[in-house]
Amino acid sequence: MGKVPIEALRLRHAGMQPRRTHFEWKSENTAGRLQRHEVWRHEYLRQPYLLGTADEPLADRFRDIFVNQTELGNNGLIGLLPVDQTDFMRKFTHLLEEYGARGFERPPPEVIEAARAPLRKYFENGPPIAKRIFDGYTAPESRFLVKYGRREFLAPMLERGRLRICQASYYNDDSHNAAVRDDEITRTFCFPTWEERLQGLTHVPVQSHRIPIDDDDVRVALEMEDYYLLSLCDDVYYRMPTDFDADAALIIRDPDRFVQRVISAFLLAHPGWEPMFGPVNYFDPYHDYDAWKRPEMSKPFGYAYQREYRIVFRCPRTLTSDLTPEFLEIGPMGDYAELLSA
């Protein structure tokens, strides 16, 4: 995995100090007027949380940031999101400093190539399929939800209100494509170890445990009970049909009525289960440790571009058997939803 031995850690940390000193000098001599990227660079040099990270997870982080700072527009072209719209450009700048400390002017070519690869799938069969699905469509001005999927499944959902809800563990299956496949049961958090290692420590405290350090950061995987999950999006996003192998999109113009009907139908079959709903919280495994408080409603930021809205049901008791997909009947949706297809 290209781990970081203590000798490399010391050398890289020492190499950062002149750049940190430069930005501090510049700030003091220009009345604090650093450019935004310089503020971000100094911020990282003061607290280089990725300094002890192995090469492979560092490359994974670069890919996640690269994918999320880009967007597939309604013109069918890939572009960059505005810098002020997300926090990803700040994270990207931190990565540039870290790769600089490792002797690279920019991330290695193979890292950049791997980051670009997920974007190619939108054009494998010509223009993105979303161009055909949403051709000439004007989205509602008020709040709405979108369910992306195959027309053969979305049509019965619109006409009769018949929908399938799956257990979270269902998505951790190799038969799903990369955008759908995810471990929805486990949330992994990363704890930097560079400071402890520079101090000669061999363990890092995590909650009430002392976890040994091994030339890398500490990753703690927290596992939850299985639960039921219905996934939607909060807007029209041109990447989603390709990601979910969809040829159609169900536009739900009254989200509140839809959510209420889903919850009512589920609780009728499973009294006492706890419903949760709303936008997913996308967390940074290196910073957002509070995400464990509602793990069913949180995901690693690598999926942030999907802007998921989910409805979740959690069992109040310890499960005694495996969950399986179920069908819910919520009544016809024709008066508050419409189906678009390629």
Side-chain angles (χ1 to χ4, degrees):
M1 288 181 63
K3 293 185 177 181
V4 185
I6 186 62
E7 295 81 8
L9 192 66
R10 291 194 183 109
L11 186 64
R12 293 171 184 175
H13 185 254
M16 286 180 165
Q17 300 319 301
R19 285 182 59 74
R20 173 181 172 178
T21 301
H22 165 73
F23 288 125
E24 290 170 354
W25 175 88
K26 186 175 180 180
S27 177
E28 291 173 0
N29 287 273
T30 58
R33 290 193 295 270
L34 294 178
Q35 296 183 47
R36 178 160 45 183
H37 77 91
E38 294 176 320
V39 172
W40 292 338
R41 290 176 186 279
H42 178 252
E43 177 182 63
Y44 183 74
L45 293 167
R46 288 181 61 240
Q47 190 66 27
Y49 54 92
L50 300 170
L51 191 63
T53 303
D55 291 343
E56 185 177 329
L58 191 71
D60 290 343
R61 184 177 178 88
F62 178 85
R63 181 197 61 222
D64 288 343
I65 292 170
F66 186 90
V67 167
N68 279 283
Q69 185 55 41
T70 57
E71 181 68 289
L72 179 61
N74 56 14
N75 59 359
L77 300 176
I78 292 288
L80 290 176
L81 289 171
V83 173
D84 294 330
Q85 186 170 323
T86 74
D87 193 41
F88 287 113
M89 191 57 75
R90 174 172 162 264
K91 297 180 191 296
F92 180 80
T93 305
H94 290 176
L95 271 172
L96 292 181
E97 281 297 319
E98 178 55 38
Y99 274 114
R102 300 185 184 210
F104 299 97
E105 292 185 6
R106 59 185 60 85
E110 64 273 16
V111 173
I112 296 175
E113 179 62 23
R116 288 174 173 168
L119 302 179
R120 294 199 187 97
K121 66 177 184 251
Y122 301 110
F123 309 99
E124 287 177 345
N125 300 306
I129 190 172
K131 289 280 289 179
R132 284 185 282 143
I133 295 175
F134 298 111
D135 182 38
Y137 180 72
T138 300
E141 294 184 2
S142 58
R143 188 170 66 93
F144 64 98
L145 295 175
V146 184
K147 180 65 176 174
Y148 298 95
R150 306 296 297 178
R151 180 180 178 86
E152 61 191 283
F153 302 123
L154 293 183
M157 184 173 169
L158 173 67
E159 296 163 4
R160 305 195 302 274
R162 180 175 171 81
L163 61 90
R164 189 174 77 155
I165 186 168
C166 294
Q167 70 279 16
S169 58
Y170 164 82
Y171 297 97
N172 191 16
D173 190 307
D174 289 341
S175 65
H176 299 305
N177 66 34
V180 176
R181 186 174 64 250
D182 184 29
D183 185 352
E184 292 284 4
I185 301 299
T186 306
R187 297 290 178 261
T188 300
F189 298 88
C190 303
F191 296 86
T193 63
W194 66 274
E195 290 181 290
E196 289 80 3
R197 290 159 63 190
L198 288 175
Q199 295 170 19
L201 302 179
T202 58
H203 292 74
V204 61
V206 177
Q207 295 182 338
S208 59
H209 304 282
R210 293 178 72 246
I211 300 178
I213 299 170
D214 180 26
D215 288 347
D216 194 1
D217 293 333
V218 168
R219 289 166 182 78
V220 177
L222 302 176
E223 188 170 307
M224 68 194 102
E225 287 256 43
D226 209 355
Y227 56 96
Y228 278 105
L229 163 65
L230 183 64
S231 177
L232 306 103
C233 283
D234 65 4
D235 208 334
V236 169
Y237 300 116
Y238 273 52
R239 292 165 78 159
M240 297 306 99
T242 301
D243 275 8
F244 295 108
D245 192 25
D247 62 1
L250 184 65
I251 310 295
I252 302 169
R253 298 187 301 271
D254 191 341
D256 294 333
R257 192 200 310 191
F258 174 76
V259 171
Q260 182 184 44
R261 288 188 174 185
V262 170
I263 292 175
S264 297
F266 186 90
L267 294 182
L268 186 64
H270 301 277
W273 282 54
E274 178 186 356
M276 292 180 282
F277 58 91
V280 165
N281 167 47
Y282 294 100
F283 69 92
D284 186 331
Y286 270 93
H287 298 293
D288 304 324
Y289 304 130
D290 286 346
W292 179 245
K293 293 180 179 178
R294 296 185 78 202
E296 297 90 348
M297 297 297 293
S298 301
K299 292 188 71 169
F301 73 73
Y303 296 92
Y305 73 92
Q306 295 181 352
R307 284 95 158 185
E308 183 183 354
Y309 184 103
R310 60 174 45 181
I311 306 173
V312 161
F313 297 95
R314 179 168 60 187
C315 185
R317 304 169 299 277
T318 300
L319 295 172
T320 57
S321 59
D322 294 339
L323 302 182
T324 57
E326 295 191 13
F327 283 93
L328 302 179
E329 303 285 348
I330 65 171
M333 301 172 59
D335 60 337
Y336 65 96
E338 59 185 312
L339 182 63
L340 308 176
S341 60

